[in-house]
PDB file of all heavy atoms in Angstrom:
ATOM      1  N   MET A   1       7.259 -12.439  -0.331  1.00 80.00           N
ATOM      2  CA  MET A   1       6.159 -13.266  -0.813  1.00 80.00           C
ATOM      3  C   MET A   1       5.182 -12.376  -1.562  1.00 80.00           C
ATOM      4  O   MET A   1       4.746 -11.350  -1.046  1.00 80.00           O
ATOM      5  CB  MET A   1       5.526 -13.949   0.389  1.00 80.00           C
ATOM      6  CG  MET A   1       4.106 -14.334   0.231  1.00 80.00           C
ATOM      7  SD  MET A   1       3.374 -15.257   1.599  1.00 80.00           S
ATOM      8  CE  MET A   1       3.947 -14.439   3.046  1.00 80.00           C
ATOM      9  N   PRO A   2       4.816 -12.736  -2.782  1.00 92.00           N
ATOM     10  CA  PRO A   2       3.853 -11.930  -3.546  1.00 92.00           C
ATOM     11  C   PRO A   2       2.423 -12.129  -3.044  1.00 92.00           C
ATOM     12  O   PRO A   2       2.087 -13.194  -2.524  1.00 92.00           O
ATOM     13  CB  PRO A   2       4.004 -12.459  -4.972  1.00 92.00           C
ATOM     14  CG  PRO A   2       4.494 -13.841  -4.806  1.00 92.00           C
ATOM     15  CD  PRO A   2       5.325 -13.850  -3.554  1.00 92.00           C
ATOM     16  N   CYS A  15     -19.955  -1.775   1.180  1.00 97.00           N
ATOM     17  CA  CYS A  15     -19.807  -1.036   2.437  1.00 97.00           C
ATOM     18  C   CYS A  15     -18.734   0.044   2.371  1.00 97.00           C
ATOM     19  O   CYS A  15     -18.753   0.978   3.163  1.00 97.00           O
ATOM     20  CB  CYS A  15     -19.533  -1.990   3.589  1.00 97.00           C
ATOM     21  SG  CYS A  15     -17.899  -2.742   3.546  1.00 97.00           S
ATOM     22  N   ALA A  58      -7.751  -3.961   4.297  1.00 98.00           N
ATOM     23  CA  ALA A  58      -9.018  -4.126   3.578  1.00 98.00           C
ATOM     24  C   ALA A  58      -9.578  -5.526   3.767  1.00 98.00           C
ATOM     25  O   ALA A  58     -10.773  -5.702   4.000  1.00 98.00           O
ATOM     26  CB  ALA A  58      -8.815  -3.834   2.083  1.00 98.00           C
TER      27      ALA A  58
END
Side-chain angles (χ1 to χ4, degrees):
M1 154 175 43
C15 70

